[in-house]
Amino acid sequence: MRIAFVTAEIAPFSKTGGLGDVSAAFPKAMQGLGHKIVIITPLYKSIDTKKFRLQLVKENIIAKIGEKVELFDLYVSFIPHSKVPVYFIKNPYLYREGIYVDEDGEDYSDSAYRFLTFTKSVFAMLRWLKFSPDIIHCNDWHTGLLPFFLKTEYNDVDLFKKSKSVFTIHNIGYQGIYPFEDIADAELADVYFDEDLLGFYGKINFMKGAIVYSDILTTVSSKYAEEIQTKEFGYGLESFIEQRKEDLYGIVHGVDLNVWNPKSDPLLVKNYDSKNLKGKTESKSYLQDKLNLNVSDLPILGVISRLATQKGLDLILEKFDDIMKLKVQFILLGTGEPELEKKFKKKEEKYHENSSINIMFDNTLAHQIEAAADIFLMPSKYEPCGLNQLYSMIYGTVPLVRNTGGLSDTVQNYDPKTEEGTGFVFENPNVKEFFAAVKRAVKVYKEEPEKWLKLKKKIMNLDFTWKNAAKQWQKVYELAQDKKR
Ligand code: ADP
């Protein structure tokens, strides 16, 4: 099949979270099955065009937004160590330094227009390339208008006559809701703003557009596929999802072992595998030293996360003093809501010998924490798929998670009696259940080191490759192809 994969971020060029990782790993897996896949993404100013050897393909391609003309230049490069081409839309007036937010962390005031134009630019560049996709695979709200345009404005364009759209919901908490005026330049007929189509309480909702118009909908775990049909998780879109449940599939991501693998990870001080864990011990003392913590064998609890309400970090904050009383160390890496940043920094002042709060985005440190930590905390309120729990397991770091979304699909609660399970799971998002899980984990770590070692080795040997997921994806693409326009 010919696949156009459209995304707002892709590692290592641009990344704020899991979507960036997946946008690189997924297309590689699909190319591995023999498909012809191209990726299309904006060229943000923060992307190092020299380092990544971007080549100019064509200048001044026209994207028409109603009567308005937006010119862009098309560049190409490849995902490192692969043959998957990544096409970049260069429009420096729209794709500035940040991916979603400006230097002050504020949403760009023209967000709706930026991603409307991105969508239109995708059609324009595919036409220029004469690339007729069987599947246009769109991701999250930034690409939400693409399935809509495919079924309306581009419905009769020869190049796209056979194209089917697949839309993946990576996080329904971000929908792209804006006043209609923000996309007035598109000159859409009023009928499309109906509440059954793009309209949402008198505004435009990009993600809803995709839920209504895409041929197939997917999300990133089977549990999350169920959850988003409920009021608690659907963020107002639950009834629209439910209407399309026959076309909804939940597929958990794999992990790209070329990037996340303790055996070969160049960012670690020492590599290791499940047969020889010396490198993990060295990674721990190295990081303790680097972050000015006491070098000791106290269990390290690690967190790498966007500091967003979604991630349930308030549970950690509320129980911080009690957690420290268990005699553990705590390392956090993250950026996000200023309030959370401040609160964690305060905790660091109080427990500076045994806690390290790193408010920054630092890929090297992320890899080093995965290797150094003993327990990885993800007490998320909701978690569509989650990648860090998978990375943790591969690095022999036991995940402690809430039973939601992808965490539920990928981590089974550990019972020290039977030694079944792969992590520590708690059910409801309250401090009591969360802290009980922390105590259970620390207890096994401290009191039953042999069992802990066995658990570590077990999770390192689980299969998180893309093999399974890619096969499921193949089927979903076939189903999309069978859809009538
Ligand atoms: P989400 O997509 O909701 O942010 P995931 O667990 O799916 O959560 O993916 C998060 C990805 O972003 C992981 O690769 C993680 O290492 C990375 N990440 C998050 N915050 C940071 C940070 N401050 N520095 C480096 N990497 C980060």
Side-chain angles (χ1 to χ4, degrees), residues 42-45 63 69-73 88-96 113 117-118 121:
L43 180 56
Y44 306 103
K45 287 186 187 160
V69 164
E70 284 285 353
L71 291 179
F72 66 90
D73 299 340
F88 293 90
I89 307 283
K90 181 177 178 185
N91 181 338
Y93 304 103
L94 295 178
Y95 312 121
R96 306 184 277 266
Y113 186 74
T117 303
F118 174 50
S121 305

Side-chain angles (χ1 to χ4, degrees), residues 67-228:
E67 288 304 305
K68 205 171 154 187
V69 164
E70 284 285 353
L71 291 179
F72 66 90
D73 299 340
L74 187 64
Y75 282 76
V76 72
S77 181
F78 291 87
I79 297 177
H81 315 294
S82 87
K83 293 195 173 106
V84 182
V86 186
Y87 286 95
F88 293 90
I89 307 283
K90 181 177 178 185
N91 181 338
Y93 304 103
L94 295 178
Y95 312 121
R96 306 184 277 266
E97 202 69 25
I99 301 180
Y100 310 116
V101 294
D102 65 17
E103 288 81 3
D104 301 324
E106 299 292 328
D107 267 350
Y108 286 120
S109 58
D110 58 350
S111 284
Y113 186 74
R114 291 171 80 224
F115 288 110
L116 158 72
T117 303
F118 174 50
T119 307
K120 285 302 199 71
S121 305
V122 170
F123 285 107
M125 67 74 78
L126 289 174
R127 282 176 116 165
W128 191 83
L129 285 179
K130 298 195 174 58
F131 187 91
S132 173
D134 299 301
I135 302 287
I136 306 184
H137 188 157
C138 306
N139 297 280
D140 270 355
W141 75 262
H142 330 102
T143 60
L145 291 187
L146 203 150
F148 162 72
F149 284 124
L150 182 62
K151 287 241 168 81
T152 51
E153 189 176 333
Y154 296 88
N155 197 42
D156 296 323
V157 174
D158 272 349
L159 196 72
F160 303 115
K161 272 212 164 122
K162 286 200 193 125
S163 306
K164 302 289 160 52
S165 58
V166 172
F167 182 76
T168 300
I169 300 170
H170 294 263
N171 192 335
I172 208 166
Y174 304 86
Q175 298 176 2
I177 302 171
Y178 298 100
F180 292 140
E181 302 86 78
D182 285 16
I183 62 156
D185 288 331
E187 295 176 21
L188 299 182
D190 285 348
V191 61
Y192 294 124
F193 294 124
D194 193 280
E195 293 281 313
D196 284 336
L197 301 174
L198 306 178
F200 188 68
Y201 299 100
K203 292 186 169 178
I204 179 158
N205 182 324
F206 278 58
M207 184 171 273
K208 180 163 174 260
I211 291 168
V212 173
Y213 283 96
S214 66
D215 291 293
I216 291 275
L217 277 177
T218 77
T219 188
V220 291
S221 64
S222 52
K223 177 92 171 181
Y224 196 58
E226 285 167 25
E227 287 174 337
I228 55 178

Side-chain angles (χ1 to χ4, degrees), residues 87 152 158 179 190 192 237 241 305 320 324 351 359 367 369 375 382 387 395 397 433 452 481-482:
Y87 286 95
T152 51
D158 272 349
D190 285 348
Y192 294 124
L237 292 180
I241 306 261
S305 181
F320 207 88
M324 295 317 283
Y351 299 101
I359 304 296
H367 284 246
I369 293 173
I375 299 164
Y382 72 93
L387 290 172
Y395 282 70
T397 302
E433 292 188 38
W452 190 265
Q481 282 203 301
D482 291 343

Side-chain angles (χ1 to χ4, degrees), residues 15-22 170-171 253 260 304-307 310-311 333-335 358-367 370 378 383-389 391:
K15 166 174 168 180
T16 65
L19 177 60
D21 284 359
V22 170
H170 294 263
N171 192 335
H253 301 312
W260 293 95
I304 304 164
S305 181
R306 289 183 294 112
L307 301 184
Q310 172 204 341
K311 299 292 180 179
L333 168 64
T335 54
N358 306 275
I359 304 296
M360 59 183 83
F361 195 94
D362 183 338
N363 186 48
T364 302
L365 188 54
H367 284 246
E370 289 291 6
M378 290 180 83
E383 192 62 72
C385 176
L387 290 172
N388 277 315
Q389 82 279 15
Y391 301 155

Side-chain angles (χ1 to χ4, degrees), residues 17-87:
L19 177 60
D21 284 359
V22 170
S23 295
F26 172 87
K28 279 205 276 183
M30 295 316 280
Q31 193 185 59
L33 292 184
H35 301 296
K36 185 168 171 54
I37 187 160
V38 300
I39 299 169
I40 306 130
T41 194
L43 180 56
Y44 306 103
K45 287 186 187 160
S46 46
I47 293 176
D48 188 336
T49 53
K50 278 214 181 87
K51 179 175 149 199
F52 293 119
R53 299 199 190 151
L54 268 65
Q55 307 267 340
L56 179 66
V57 179
K58 171 87 177 112
E59 280 177 315
N60 292 329
I61 300 179
I62 292 174
K64 282 202 82 183
I65 318 294
E67 288 304 305
K68 205 171 154 187
V69 164
E70 284 285 353
L71 291 179
F72 66 90
D73 299 340
L74 187 64
Y75 282 76
V76 72
S77 181
F78 291 87
I79 297 177
H81 315 294
S82 87
K83 293 195 173 106
V84 182
V86 186
Y87 286 95

